[in-house]
Amino acid sequence: MNAVYDPKTVEATAQADWDKSRVFTATESAAGEKYYALAMFPYPSGRLHMGHVRCYTLADVINRYRRLKGYNVMQPMGWDAFGLPAENAAIKNGIPPATWTQDNIAYMRGQMQRLGFGIDWSREFATCDPEYYRWEQWFFLKLYEKGLVYRKNAMVNWDPVDQTVLANEQVVDGRGWRSDAIVERREMAQWFLKITDYAEELLNDLDGMDGWPDSVKSMQRNWIGRSAGVEIDFTVAGRADAAPLTVFTTRPDTLLGATYVAVAPQHPLAQAAADEDADVAAFIESCARATTAEADLATMEKTGIATTTQVEHPLTGELLPVWVANFVLMEYGSGAVMSVPGHDQRDWEFATKYGIDIIQVIEPVDDTPCDLNTGAFVDPGRLCNSGDYDGLTSADAFAAIADALEAKQRGRRVTNYRLRDWGVSRQRYWGCPIPMIHCEHCGVVPVPEQDLPVVLPTEVEFEGVRSPLVTMESFLNVDCPKCGAPARRETDTFDTFMESSWYYARFTSPDANSPMVDERANYWAPVDHYVGGIEHAILHLLYARFFHKLMRDERLLPGDEPFKQLLMLGMVLQGGKKMSKSAGDAGDPQKLLDKYGADTVRTAMMFAAPPHQSFEWSEAGLEGALRFLKKLWTLVHDGCAAGVAADFDVAALTEDAQQLRRRTYETLAKADDDYGRRIQFNTVVSGVMELCNAVAKTKANNDHDRGAIQEALRIAVLVISPVAPHITHHLWRVLQGEGDLVSSHWPAMDEHALSQATIEMVVQVNGKVRGKIEVAADAQKAEVLTLAKSCENVSRHLDNKTIRKEIVVPNKLVNLVVG
RNA sequence: GCCUGGGUGGCGAAAUUGGUAGACGCGCCGGAUUCAAAAUCCGGUUCCUUCACGGGAGUGUCGGUUCGAGUCCGACCCCAGGUACCA
């Protein structure tokens, strides 16, 4: 028999066996409860990096563990194929994005197969396949009919030199990454999906999602950002007939402290002021030199300029000045805010800078001193300088002022969300075409269903950086479906988050010819375990949840949520850098696969850190993982050298063999808990390492002992098989003589093997460990204490001291408190 | 800025419900085997102190709760992810 472990042949044989038996091809009719295990599909950037290896190995471990537990598991794989990097490669190398993408997919698929993932490749698709994105176009038109799609102006990063829209990533220090030109904020008509219609449900459903980490639910809650407040109307002075200036605030209790109102540079009042004041016009123009990124907006210096326009305070009638400020954004809310410098820190800084009045209208309830010269007092408190409202708490004043505004018809209670509608237009080529037509006579006309898909032309050449669609007459020219006159296609494509929002559903029925999915979705949905990087905690997961609800409302999917259990992975870093397409070839696992084999790479990766933790990948662990697999190989071959043992009698085992049985079943119980409940696999690997060390130290004194050793090895092999499936596929045949491990079952637990006659307890004096005692498993408290006090080193620490307290934690420790 | 995490030996980490800090592995040191090397096996390895038994300190910093804190509470420092057009 093979004395030396040769990963290459072992892995090729195992993979050939799996292919032959089609064991990973999932069917709806197979026995067992269904289990849909899904890892976030990759962007085909060129080659796998170690972050991919981690993610897909973790998902495969879950897949193979569930399989052993008797589930009917489906683990698919596909490609998030549209996106910016393909265009960059096309611009750089002159290769069409479609060709580049297909080449990358072919290479990366080969790498995944080499890693031995138990994937059902019959379900594979790429999002750039017209058969996939046609249903996305179909669904978009459905949503358009339902009024969930609309068009409005939104800000983009505009590169004035390249004459193109830039992604936030393409803006470096406020300049275009190719042109180096200063980027401008510019308004452009864009398509939007009304995700805010679902804000309440997206928020509330989080409460029932027990399979999601609390941290992710918190992030999503804060992102949706529900807040109860009041909309307040400020009449523009001298223009009582015109529409009032409406603002939203969560702090109506501070209304009497408002000393000015600020509007966005694009606000009609700002524009009107600019017409009469060159300084205001210049200020507004300077505001355009900024990016659309929130982090930039939040950290930039807050600047503004006063206008001569005034508004009336809705309760006092006092006139307040209107300022134009760079931090007020037209696209959020009404593009105007009321400013209370006494009780909002940003307003305080702005007012201090420009010498605007600061009025205190809230004081601390506990009468602690509060100095508005050093900063705003932002906590709730008790009202002052607020006339009739003086003395009310902030909470009572909220209600009283809201009532007064509603009575005067100057305001109304509203619920507001931080969440904004989803802008899905991208001014890019390599994406799903938005199925709309612009007609001079009819306006916007949807593409008729029978004309779908609108296929993206793949034979293109890039001239400069602009989308080739913009100048491609064969794509652009189309007859208006309504009036037949010559019209033009929409040249924007969808945000790639559209494709990744429903791919999990398409995997259930990847060849469905009915819209999007067919009845197989009712069997497989929802995803039972979804695995992916923490960087997707908000956007991707929120959009996918939204899409699920949209598809549910079209009766395409069952249930309210797409992902039952969520495993969020930490980042794999290399040289302190995030692994991504920008990391180039760094972290390519290919040479490691060639040198060590897939099982060693998988084991080293799983052993390196628990799944949720970020860590820096190092090749240092590979030698150790290989050493461990070699050890397992040798132990199994040696343990079976005299043949497979018959059933053994537990009572006839030597003391050492009984200890080994206890270790064996302790390892099994812990591994089951780690795999199934804790989702922590590094400790499964260390547990099996410990068991192997114990096997190596146990001598077979008789045939019964030999049976116990083989039992330990069988369980070690089964337990580690999800991590290292190839070597265990081989070793299983050595141990069993026949059958495939992958079709085998998780071993049954033997509780009797765990029982122990005596237990070791720690003895502390004043919380410091001073000794250890062996006590009978059923020892009483008094007995334990007597034993503890008589312990030599302990009694030394008790000399001449009074015991004030005796604490006994059963089976763990004794703590004697002395004074 | 804001939201969410994280910080434990030379290194990756373990410690699950407040109960022995450092399991397991890497590296290193010593030994066995070998003509030699590789591979393998055995032993040691938080720091300071001690011939030794032992003693002291120790989980980012400072403070608190508790018989007992890596774990809970408060303040702070640093690092990472996200921040709506990277995916």
Side-chain angles (χ1 to χ4, degrees):
Chain A
M1 191 87 221
N2 308 327
V4 179
Y5 170 44
D6 174 30
K8 217 162 243 168
T9 52
V10 166
E11 291 176 2
T13 306
Q15 289 175 13
D17 287 350
W18 298 332
D19 284 349
K20 207 168 138 195
S21 63
R22 303 177 66 83
V23 64
F24 296 114
T25 305
T27 61
E28 294 74 34
S29 54
E33 198 181 325
K34 73 95 184 172
Y35 198 90
Y36 182 0
L38 180 67
M40 291 178 185
F41 64 167
Y43 177 80
S45 53
R47 43 194 58 212
L48 296 186
H49 54 63
M50 295 313 291
H52 290 127
V53 173
R54 186 188 201 194
C55 179
Y56 302 124
T57 302
L58 283 161
D60 197 42
V61 168
I62 290 167
N63 161 16
R64 288 170 183 272
Y65 166 73
R66 289 290 164 181
R67 224 167 255 284
L68 288 174
K69 293 292 261 186
Y71 289 87
N72 179 31
V73 182
M74 191 264 280
Q75 183 185 25
M77 184 55 69
W79 309 95
D80 189 14
F82 280 135
L84 207 47
E87 291 192 36
N88 293 334
I91 294 163
K92 198 174 160 195
N93 308 320
I95 308 165
T99 312
W100 184 84
T101 303
Q102 291 303 340
D103 289 352
N104 289 348
I105 288 173
Y107 185 79
M108 291 168 78
R109 185 195 298 115
Q111 288 189 302
M112 286 197 190
Q113 287 165 343
R114 178 71 187 82
L115 278 155
F117 299 136
I119 288 166
D120 180 354
W121 286 104
S122 74
R123 293 171 187 266
E124 177 189 5
F125 62 81
T127 55
C128 59
D129 298 342
E131 276 313 294
Y132 179 74
Y133 66 68
R134 70 173 295 184
W135 299 116
E136 192 169 305
Q137 294 174 338
W138 174 88
F139 196 53
F140 181 77
L141 295 175
K142 203 81 189 162
L143 298 176
Y144 182 73
E145 278 170 31
K146 290 177 81 172
L148 287 165
V149 167
Y150 67 101
R151 205 165 145 82
K152 72 164 183 184
N153 280 347
M155 288 290 178
V156 294
N157 297 312
W158 181 254
D159 186 322
V161 171
D162 278 346
Q163 293 283 298
T164 187
V165 175
L166 298 180
N168 284 333
E169 192 189 53
Q170 296 172 313
V171 180
V172 182
D173 294 331
R175 291 170 180 270
W177 65 347
R178 282 177 205 287
S179 67
D180 207 36
I182 290 178
V183 168
E184 297 168 7
R185 288 163 57 88
R186 179 181 275 209
E187 281 191 304
M188 207 171 254
Q190 315 260 333
W191 291 101
F192 281 83
L193 254 50
K194 280 191 185 171
I195 192 173
T196 50
D197 276 13
Y198 285 74
E200 193 70 23
E201 196 192 345
L202 287 165
L203 182 69
N204 292 339
D205 284 358
L206 289 168
D207 293 339
M209 288 158 64
D210 299 331
W212 280 42
D214 289 337
S215 58
V216 175
K217 287 188 282 189
S218 288
M219 282 191 254
Q220 294 217 346
R221 278 192 194 100
N222 293 334
W223 184 263
I224 295 168
R226 184 192 148 105
S227 57
V230 174
E231 256 180 23
I232 303 174
D233 301 330
F234 289 81
T235 311
V236 180
R239 297 186 53 195
D241 53 327
L245 189 62
T246 301
V247 305
F248 172 82
T249 179
T250 58
R251 292 293 302 274
D253 54 313
T254 66
L255 179 55
L256 280 297
T259 55
Y260 64 100
V261 169
V263 300
Q266 296 79 24
H267 195 279
L269 282 183
Q271 300 292 328
D275 290 344
E276 285 164 21
D277 185 333
D279 289 342
V280 174
F283 174 77
I284 290 172
E285 209 185 308
S286 75
C287 290
R289 286 195 296 277
T291 77
T292 59
E294 199 212 48
D296 291 341
L297 290 165
T299 52
M300 74 185 176
E301 203 196 339
K302 311 292 183 288
T303 58
I305 190 164
T307 69
T308 53
T309 310
Q310 291 181 309
V311 292
E312 276 176 36
H313 192 287
L315 294 184
T316 65
E318 195 187 336
L319 293 178
L320 306 178
V322 173
W323 283 67
V324 182
N326 65 347
F327 57 83
V328 185
L329 301 177
M330 197 59 213
E331 54 263 63
Y332 315 149
S334 58
V337 296
M338 78 173 196
S339 294
V340 184
H343 306 287
D344 178 280
Q345 189 57 25
R346 184 185 65 190
D347 294 345
W348 184 91
E349 283 163 18
F350 192 85
T352 303
K353 180 173 179 175
Y354 291 107
I356 306 170
D357 290 348
I358 299 172
I359 304 173
Q360 179 171 13
V361 290
I362 307 287
E363 57 193 12
V365 275
D366 57 4
D367 295 317
T368 52
C370 148
D371 181 6
L372 293 188
N373 290 315
T374 57
F377 174 66
V378 298
D379 296 333
R382 189 176 54 221
L383 270 73
C384 57
N385 298 326
S386 296
D388 294 346
Y389 304 103
D390 279 359
L392 293 180
T393 62
S394 284
D396 291 342
F398 185 117
I401 290 175
D403 286 344
L405 288 167
E406 282 174 348
K408 292 180 79 171
Q409 297 194 341
R410 289 298 187 90
R412 60 217 73 84
R413 288 175 165 87
V414 292
T415 299
N416 215 30
Y417 296 91
R418 206 187 77 93
L419 181 69
R420 308 186 316 245
D421 276 336
W422 178 9
V424 296
S425 299
R426 296 293 179 273
Q427 294 72 44
R428 314 210 184 288
Y429 157 73
W430 189 234
C432 171
I434 297 178
M436 289 289 180
I437 290 165
H438 299 279
C439 173
E440 251 179 73
H441 316 288
C442 312
V444 168
V445 183
V447 173
E449 193 176 327
Q450 66 271 16
D451 292 347
L452 296 180
V454 178
V455 176
L456 182 74
T458 51
E459 293 193 10
V460 294
E461 271 178 49
F462 274 74
E463 289 164 21
V465 294
R466 273 204 318 188
S467 164
L469 295 182
V470 178
T471 50
M472 190 181 287
E473 294 298 324
S474 58
F475 178 80
L476 282 172
N477 295 328
V478 62
D479 293 339
C480 172
K482 233 181 196 170
C483 70
R488 290 175 90 74
R489 283 194 193 280
E490 172 68 64
T491 56
D492 282 1
T493 54
F494 282 133
D495 177 4
T496 57
F497 276 127
M498 287 281 277
E499 287 87 61
S500 56
S501 290
W502 70 284
Y503 77 107
Y504 68 91
R506 184 69 181 175
F507 277 140
T508 66
S509 42
D511 52 358
N513 271 319
S514 49
M516 304 186 90
V517 295
D518 63 25
E519 69 284 353
R520 287 170 288 177
N522 290 319
Y523 176 79
W524 291 112
V527 173
D528 292 279
H529 213 147
Y530 194 35
V531 180
I534 184 69
E535 68 273 21
H536 295 294
I538 296 176
L539 291 182
H540 161 60
L541 287 170
L542 191 65
Y543 291 143
R545 291 181 61 217
F546 171 47
F547 245 74
H548 188 96
K549 292 174 193 302
L550 292 172
M551 288 176 73
R552 172 204 63 192
D553 291 348
E554 283 298 311
R555 299 176 188 283
L556 292 165
L557 288 175
D560 295 326
E561 288 289 333
F563 312 119
K564 204 166 157 190
Q565 197 174 357
L566 178 65
L567 176 58
M568 287 272 89
L569 312 184
M571 309 287 295
V572 177
L573 312 165
Q574 186 143 30
K577 274 192 171 173
K578 179 178 159 183
M579 286 211 175
S580 67
K581 61 230 163 284
S582 59
D585 288 357
D588 185 358
Q590 200 57 46
K591 69 178 201 311
L592 305 181
L593 287 171
D594 295 342
K595 187 174 173 193
Y596 294 96
D599 281 343
T600 296
V601 172
R602 293 170 58 125
T603 304
M605 184 54 89
M606 292 300 94
F607 187 51
H612 67 269
Q613 191 169 308
S614 293
F615 74 102
E616 190 163 325
W617 168 250
S618 142
E619 294 180 13
L622 286 163
E623 290 294 342
L626 179 61
R627 212 171 286 159
F628 160 62
L629 294 179
K630 277 180 182 169
K631 188 171 189 171
L632 182 65
W633 174 277
T634 307
L635 285 172
V636 170
H637 281 97
D638 289 356
C640 295
V644 176
D647 287 349
F648 60 93
D649 181 359
V650 172
L653 294 176
T654 60
E655 175 65 26
D656 280 359
Q658 280 185 32
Q659 293 284 341
L660 179 64
R661 279 205 91 223
R662 188 160 57 75
R663 294 296 291 268
T664 300
Y665 284 95
E666 278 172 2
T667 306
L668 178 64
K670 168 118 169 71
D672 205 9
D673 191 40
D674 283 349
Y675 275 140
R677 182 181 65 88
R678 299 180 72 207
I679 323 295
Q680 177 171 289
F681 307 152
N682 53 329
T683 44
V684 174
V685 178
S686 65
V688 176
M689 283 174 170
E690 287 185 84
L691 181 58
C692 284
N693 291 343
V695 169
K697 283 188 174 125
T698 307
K699 281 208 171 62
N701 294 295
N702 54 47
D703 282 350
H704 297 286
D705 284 5
R706 213 159 61 79
I709 287 172
Q710 289 188 11
E711 179 191 35
L713 288 167
R714 245 191 332 272
I715 287 178
V717 162
L718 269 167
V719 165
I720 204 65
S721 69
V723 174
H726 308 87
I727 188 174
T728 50
H729 174 84
H730 167 90
L731 295 177
W732 186 248
R733 291 209 174 136
V734 175
L735 283 159
Q736 295 293 93
E738 58 175 12
D740 275 5
L741 187 154
V742 77
S743 308
S744 182
H745 299 287
W746 187 259
M749 187 59 200
D750 180 356
E751 299 289 344
H752 291 294
L754 298 180
S755 65
Q756 268 179 291
T758 61
I759 288 160
E760 189 188 66
M761 288 179 76
V762 157
V763 185
Q764 300 180 331
V765 179
N766 283 352
K768 288 191 193 298
V769 180
R770 298 302 180 187
K772 284 173 188 180
I773 53 174
E774 255 326 279
V775 300
D778 56 354
Q780 297 300 299
K781 187 174 172 178
E783 222 179 307
V784 170
L785 278 169
T786 311
L787 212 54
K789 289 173 198 168
S790 66
C791 194
E792 195 199 324
N793 195 41
V794 172
S795 61
R796 211 147 48 82
H797 282 92
L798 297 178
D799 275 353
N800 306 320
K801 288 182 179 136
T802 318
I803 296 178
R804 298 188 189 281
K805 205 166 182 179
E806 295 169 340
I807 290 141
V808 178
V809 183
N811 300 335
K812 282 202 174 129
L813 63 72
V814 175
N815 188 14
L816 303 170
V817 185
V818 300

